[in-house]
Amino acid sequence: MTKAVQTKSQKRQEARHAQILDAAAACFVKEGFHGTSMSKVAAEAKMSVGHIYHYFASKEEIILALVEREQEQTLVKVSEALTIPAEDLVEGFTERLSDSLCNHATPFQSILNHEILAEAQRNPKVAEKVYETDAMVREIFTKMFRERLGIEDCEARIEAMSAMFHGLGSRTQRNPNIDIDGLLPITREFLRQIFGK
Amino acid sequence: MTKAVQTKSQKRQEARHAQILDAAAACFVKEGFHGTSMSKVAAEAKMSVGHIYHYFASKEEIILALVEREQEQTLVKVSEALTIPAEDLVEGFTERLSDSLCNHATPFQSILNHEILAEAQRNPKVAEKVYETDAMVREIFTKMFRERLGIEDCEARIEAMSAMFHGLGSRTQRNPNIDIDGLLPITREFLRQIFGK
Amino acid sequence: MTKAVQTKSQKRQEARHAQILDAAAACFVKEGFHGTSMSKVAAEAKMSVGHIYHYFASKEEIILALVEREQEQTLVKVSEALTIPAEDLVEGFTERLSDSLCNHATPFQSILNHEILAEAQRNPKVAEKVYETDAMVREIFTKMFRERLGIEDCEARIEAMSAMFHGLGSRTQRNPNIDIDGLLPITREFLRQIFGK
Amino acid sequence: MTKAVQTKSQKRQEARHAQILDAAAACFVKEGFHGTSMSKVAAEAKMSVGHIYHYFASKEEIILALVEREQEQTLVKVSEALTIPAEDLVEGFTERLSDSLCNHATPFQSILNHEILAEAQRNPKVAEKVYETDAMVREIFTKMFRERLGIEDCEARIEAMSAMFHGLGSRTQRNPNIDIDGLLPITREFLRQIFGK
DNA sequence: TATGAATGAGTCTTCATTCAT
DNA sequence: GATGAATGAAGACTCATTCAT
């Protein structure tokens, strides 16, 4: 019984955490980390300001938790890519790229991307999390190159591929009229080269 | 004579503008747009707060002016690239890429990149300027492809190339231990492809 | 039987009251009345915040109850002094003085002294309790002077003696290097005078 | 001319400082350090909240500045006492004592006394200032004992005298019906002893 | 009895902006 | 042109208190 009660309160706690992070994410996308006030987050979360501080010690903690959550989602997406058979890698990645560019996102990264990178430039804790995730992503890709393609020396390939993914993501931000379909042949060729030999 | 005096005062005015923008840029790099107060800008510019408002109507105007100035610098750098002879294009661009990555920058864009892109997501005026510059850069590159390489249909190539440039720039932010030299062969190959045929 | 149960629950109630007041006292000494939050008191008392409100209607009530408890302790100590034989009064009081000064306290008053007096300046209820206790202390001393020393007109003596006690207590706060032993002869002489004739 | 302007602005600055400290003192006496909000201080000073922060970095700085100002006033009063001729010392001090007790104060200390001592118990900076002042006061009294009374070994006398002064001050707070005139003979006798031999 | 989730007014502090000098 | 005094609205955060469980 004690256990049931505790589980219940834990569930509620997790629900509240998620509720707050969802609200914060929504606000941050609209207004940025520093353009969003805690009272806006509270309003969006349908919660009192004070209550938010019951769950997060500070606004920064919310940002950090959100960055962490984004990371986890990134890792999930990246891991999914691992299930693609070796012979379909080029097409699979091209498709993912195409899909996510249509949503103004990067295959493995969310809309909060720039906000997070901008913040990372001056908040070491955020930077640390960014480094961590990137390291894990590279690790996963390394595994992919080795186990699926038999390519051992893949560091540069992974860097180039990641650069292309993030770079294409930022293209939709700089050029709203970008012709995504026109880009596919060239990126497909690029991926063929990356995965090739 | 009237004209001379006015020119003189115009010069002073421009000097003041530059002084303020330099100070603002320095602060923005350190603290971000929203983490920088006008009094910090004033202190950095060795000027009183009130005096800054003599030259700029608001903080936002400073941001906009700075974004504009960054654009101009971008265009200057891009134009310089145009002077490279056709046969040296691959090596020239590779070299530029290598140089700027070592400074944690993008060949044609400054450190304030992410700050500007993050701001563009919610400030339409900033977004507008970002679009404008990008359009002008693409125009210049289009001219380059047509006049130097005889390639008419270059839209996708330019998009891919730009993506790679910006993407590589963000790689140094996500992976502080990146092996830049190891990347060069792969980017050289990529550029060869972009400029090829 | 009903009575027995009630007595039991009364005991528990009193224990809880004491538990809370002890915790509050500990916090108040460290942080002051207004620097101490109810949640700190709750944490110190190993009790939930809500539960404290089961026993005390408000934070002010806790302060008042604490002030009252301090008073009772004061009265107990003062009463103990009454048991000293007339011929040992000077030495007895001198000794008590010396002892308590070493603990940075006043013979008949606790560390919360200043906190209480400061609070009394703006909280009439606290002031009232301070007056009350002081009146009772004076009464006890009056009895002592009359019954043990045969001195009827003792008001001024009691005032002077009390002043000296409290005053010496505050000396240890203003001069941390005070030479307590060096003071004893002079206070002994003073007490001899107070109790004399 | 520059000098005149500067003097003028310095004067204004000092006036503002005093204005804020006066307002703060008034509030602190009524509501205590921690019961007084900055907006109340601002209202009392007829100034905007923000402007107060132009002159003081924080509320604590105001408290410290106020404590310092009280100290200076204490030292002034103590120094004045030094002008009393040796033969009038007992009467002079008795008179001062009587006067100040009628104003619910201590001869050499203000109404904020208890607030300051309570604060000193947990704010080391305030404690430091309290120690400092007391040391200076003792120094002045030492000089008085040596130069005017030829008494070299006066440490204990000064401690006892200070205790009596502060102690009597707190008597008016504990016993609002205190008979000040009745006390005078006994304190006069006490002072005679302190200054005697 | 006991918990701690929930509230929202209130705290200190900052900041863009204005204006008298 | 140049200063910095002055404003007041907002910001992050705290806290006494209440209430559902």
Side-chain angles (χ1 to χ4, degrees):
Chain A
M1 202 175 128
T2 303
K3 193 190 160 193
V5 167
Q6 191 142 22
T7 299
K8 204 172 164 188
S9 98
Q10 277 179 348
K11 260 187 194 167
R12 182 161 38 199
Q13 189 141 334
E14 267 176 47
R16 288 281 175 273
H17 269 256
Q19 186 180 352
I20 292 167
L21 291 183
D22 289 345
C27 292
F28 290 162
V29 165
K30 273 180 280 174
E31 318 259 13
F33 290 155
H34 298 293
T36 299
S37 70
M38 286 301 281
S39 57
K40 275 181 197 157
V41 175
E44 180 85 27
K46 284 169 210 253
M47 215 182 265
S48 72
V49 180
H51 201 31
I52 289 185
Y53 282 88
H54 212 77
Y55 296 98
F56 292 94
S58 66
K59 190 180 173 182
E60 199 200 350
E61 291 252 309
I62 294 179
I63 293 175
L64 288 173
L66 204 51
V67 171
E68 189 141 340
R69 204 173 72 164
E70 298 279 317
Q71 287 178 324
E72 282 161 16
Q73 291 170 2
T74 296
L75 290 177
V76 166
K77 282 194 199 169
V78 171
S79 300
E80 283 169 11
L82 278 187
T83 64
I84 304 173
E87 65 272 21
D88 299 341
L89 274 180
V90 170
E91 277 318 304
F93 273 68
T94 303
E95 205 169 295
R96 272 156 196 278
L97 199 53
S98 168
D99 284 358
S100 46
L101 289 186
C102 293
N103 303 321
H104 291 266
T106 296
F108 308 119
Q109 211 83 29
S110 83
I111 282 191
L112 282 173
N113 235 331
H114 293 294
E115 202 64 35
I116 291 173
L117 284 186
E119 187 67 13
Q121 271 179 330
R122 62 193 80 92
N123 184 332
K125 287 182 191 165
V126 172
E128 189 51 45
K129 292 207 188 277
V130 168
Y131 297 157
E132 257 177 46
T133 313
D134 197 73
M136 289 165 80
V137 168
R138 275 178 281 132
E139 217 172 292
I140 293 175
F141 279 139
T142 302
K143 211 176 149 200
M144 182 186 80
F145 270 93
R146 296 194 176 155
E147 297 186 357
R148 306 218 144 220
L149 299 169
I151 297 175
E152 284 298 313
D153 184 19
C154 53
E155 193 184 324
R157 293 172 193 244
I158 290 172
E159 286 295 343
M161 184 178 72
S162 302
M164 185 53 99
F165 285 167
H166 286 130
L168 283 171
S170 85
R171 286 311 299 151
T172 63
Q173 265 207 36
R174 290 182 198 268
N175 179 6
N177 305 315
I178 188 171
D179 171 14
I180 295 172
D181 289 334
L183 257 175
L184 292 188
I186 214 166
T187 56
R188 187 178 289 117
E189 182 54 33
F190 172 73
L191 286 170
R192 217 188 308 272
Q193 200 179 310
I194 291 289
F195 292 140
K197 201 178 355 167
Chain B
M1 202 174 126
T2 304
K3 192 191 164 190
V5 167
Q6 194 145 20
T7 299
K8 203 173 167 187
S9 96
Q10 277 179 346
K11 262 187 193 167
R12 181 155 54 189
Q13 187 140 335
E14 267 177 46
R16 288 277 179 272
H17 270 256
Q19 185 181 353
I20 293 168
L21 291 182
D22 288 344
C27 293
F28 290 162
V29 165
K30 275 180 278 175
E31 317 260 14
F33 288 156
H34 297 292
T36 299
S37 68
M38 288 298 280
S39 59
K40 276 181 196 158
V41 174
E44 180 84 27
K46 283 166 193 175
M47 213 181 267
S48 72
V49 183
H51 202 31
I52 287 185
Y53 280 87
H54 206 81
Y55 295 99
F56 292 94
S58 66
K59 191 181 173 182
E60 201 199 347
E61 291 255 306
I62 294 180
I63 293 175
L64 288 172
L66 199 53
V67 172
E68 188 142 343
R69 201 174 71 163
E70 297 279 316
Q71 290 177 323
E72 283 161 14
Q73 290 170 1
T74 296
L75 291 176
V76 166
K77 282 195 198 169
V78 171
S79 301
E80 284 170 10
L82 277 187
T83 63
I84 303 173
E87 63 273 21
D88 298 340
L89 274 181
V90 170
E91 278 318 303
F93 272 69
T94 303
E95 206 169 295
R96 272 156 194 277
L97 199 52
S98 168
D99 284 358
S100 45
L101 288 186
C102 292
N103 304 321
H104 292 264
T106 294
F108 307 120
Q109 210 82 30
S110 84
I111 283 192
L112 281 174
N113 234 330
H114 293 292
E115 202 65 34
I116 291 173
L117 284 186
E119 188 67 14
Q121 271 180 330
R122 65 193 81 93
N123 185 330
K125 287 183 191 163
V126 172
E128 189 52 46
K129 294 213 185 273
V130 168
Y131 298 157
E132 255 177 47
T133 315
D134 198 72
M136 290 166 80
V137 169
R138 276 178 282 130
E139 216 171 294
I140 294 174
F141 279 139
T142 302
K143 208 174 152 201
M144 180 186 81
F145 271 93
R146 296 193 176 156
E147 297 186 356
R148 304 216 147 222
L149 298 168
I151 297 173
E152 283 298 315
D153 183 18
C154 53
E155 191 184 326
R157 293 172 193 242
I158 290 172
E159 286 294 343
M161 184 179 71
S162 302
M164 186 52 100
F165 284 168
H166 286 129
L168 283 171
S170 86
R171 287 311 300 151
T172 62
Q173 265 208 35
R174 291 182 198 267
N175 178 6
N177 304 315
I178 189 171
D179 171 16
I180 295 173
D181 289 336
L183 258 174
L184 293 188
I186 216 166
T187 55
R188 187 179 287 115
E189 182 54 35
F190 172 74
L191 285 170
R192 219 187 309 269
Q193 203 179 308
I194 291 290
F195 292 140
K197 201 176 353 167
Chain C
M1 203 174 127
T2 304
K3 193 191 163 192
V5 167
Q6 193 143 22
T7 299
K8 204 171 164 188
S9 95
Q10 276 180 347
K11 262 187 191 165
R12 182 155 53 191
Q13 187 140 338
E14 266 177 46
R16 289 277 179 274
H17 270 256
Q19 187 181 351
I20 293 167
L21 292 182
D22 288 346
C27 293
F28 290 163
V29 166
K30 275 181 278 176
E31 317 260 13
F33 288 156
H34 297 292
T36 299
S37 68
M38 288 299 279
S39 59
K40 275 181 195 158
V41 174
E44 180 84 27
K46 281 164 196 176
M47 212 181 268
S48 72
V49 183
H51 202 33
I52 287 185
Y53 280 87
H54 205 81
Y55 295 98
F56 292 94
S58 67
K59 190 180 173 184
E60 201 200 348
E61 291 255 307
I62 294 179
I63 293 175
L64 288 172
L66 200 54
V67 171
E68 188 142 342
R69 201 174 74 164
E70 296 279 316
Q71 289 178 324
E72 282 161 16
Q73 289 170 1
T74 296
L75 291 177
V76 166
K77 282 195 198 170
V78 171
S79 300
E80 282 169 11
L82 277 187
T83 62
I84 303 172
E87 64 272 21
D88 299 341
L89 274 181
V90 170
E91 277 318 304
F93 271 69
T94 303
E95 206 169 295
R96 272 158 193 278
L97 199 52
S98 168
D99 284 357
S100 46
L101 288 186
C102 292
N103 304 321
H104 292 266
T106 295
F108 308 120
Q109 210 82 31
S110 84
I111 282 189
L112 282 173
N113 235 330
H114 293 293
E115 201 65 37
I116 291 173
L117 284 186
E119 187 67 14
Q121 271 179 331
R122 64 193 82 94
N123 184 331
K125 287 183 191 164
V126 172
E128 189 50 46
K129 294 211 186 273
V130 168
Y131 297 158
E132 255 176 47
T133 315
D134 197 72
M136 289 166 79
V137 168
R138 275 178 282 129
E139 217 171 291
I140 293 174
F141 279 139
T142 301
K143 209 176 150 202
M144 181 186 80
F145 271 94
R146 294 194 177 156
E147 296 186 357
R148 305 216 144 221
L149 298 168
I151 297 174
E152 283 299 314
D153 183 18
C154 53
E155 192 184 324
R157 292 171 193 243
I158 291 172
E159 286 294 343
M161 184 179 72
S162 302
M164 185 53 99
F165 284 168
H166 285 130
L168 283 171
S170 85
R171 287 311 300 151
T172 63
Q173 265 208 35
R174 291 183 197 266
N175 178 7
N177 304 316
I178 189 172
D179 171 15
I180 294 173
D181 289 335
L183 258 175
L184 293 188
I186 216 166
T187 55
R188 187 178 287 115
E189 181 55 34
F190 171 73
L191 286 170
R192 221 189 306 272
Q193 203 179 309
I194 292 290
F195 292 140
K197 200 176 351 165
Chain D
M1 201 176 128
T2 303
K3 192 189 161 192
V5 167
Q6 190 142 24
T7 300
K8 204 174 167 187
S9 97
Q10 277 179 347
K11 260 187 194 166
R12 179 157 45 192
Q13 188 141 335
E14 267 177 47
R16 289 281 175 273
H17 268 256
Q19 186 181 351
I20 293 167
L21 291 183
D22 289 345
C27 293
F28 289 162
V29 165
K30 273 180 279 174
E31 317 259 15
F33 288 155
H34 298 292
T36 299
S37 71
M38 287 300 281
S39 57
K40 276 182 197 157
V41 174
E44 179 85 27
K46 281 166 209 227
M47 215 181 264
S48 73
V49 180
H51 201 31
I52 288 185
Y53 282 86
H54 211 78
Y55 295 98
F56 291 94
S58 66
K59 190 180 172 183
E60 199 199 349
E61 290 253 308
I62 295 179
I63 293 175
L64 288 172
L66 204 51
V67 171
E68 189 141 342
R69 202 173 73 164
E70 297 279 316
Q71 288 179 323
E72 282 161 16
Q73 289 169 3
T74 295
L75 291 176
V76 167
K77 283 194 199 168
V78 171
S79 300
E80 283 169 12
L82 278 186
T83 62
I84 303 172
E87 65 272 20
D88 299 342
L89 274 180
V90 170
E91 277 319 304
F93 272 68
T94 303
E95 206 169 295
R96 271 156 195 277
L97 199 53
S98 167
D99 284 358
S100 45
L101 290 186
C102 293
N103 303 322
H104 293 265
T106 297
F108 307 119
Q109 210 84 29
S110 83
I111 282 193
L112 281 174
N113 235 330
H114 293 293
E115 202 64 35
I116 291 173
L117 284 186
E119 187 67 13
Q121 271 179 328
R122 65 192 79 92
N123 184 331
K125 286 183 190 163
V126 171
E128 190 51 45
K129 292 208 187 276
V130 168
Y131 297 157
E132 257 178 45
T133 315
D134 197 72
M136 289 166 81
V137 169
R138 275 178 282 131
E139 218 173 292
I140 295 175
F141 279 141
T142 301
K143 210 175 151 202
M144 180 186 82
F145 271 95
R146 296 194 174 155
E147 297 187 356
R148 305 218 146 220
L149 299 168
I151 297 174
E152 284 297 313
D153 183 19
C154 53
E155 192 185 325
R157 292 171 193 244
I158 290 172
E159 285 294 343
M161 183 178 73
S162 302
M164 184 54 100
F165 284 168
H166 286 130
L168 283 170
S170 84
R171 287 311 300 151
T172 63
Q173 265 207 35
R174 291 182 197 268
N175 179 5
N177 304 316
I178 189 171
D179 171 15
I180 295 173
D181 289 335
L183 258 174
L184 293 188
I186 213 165
T187 55
R188 188 179 287 115
E189 182 54 33
F190 171 75
L191 286 170
R192 218 189 307 272
Q193 202 180 308
I194 291 291
F195 292 140
K197 200 180 353 164

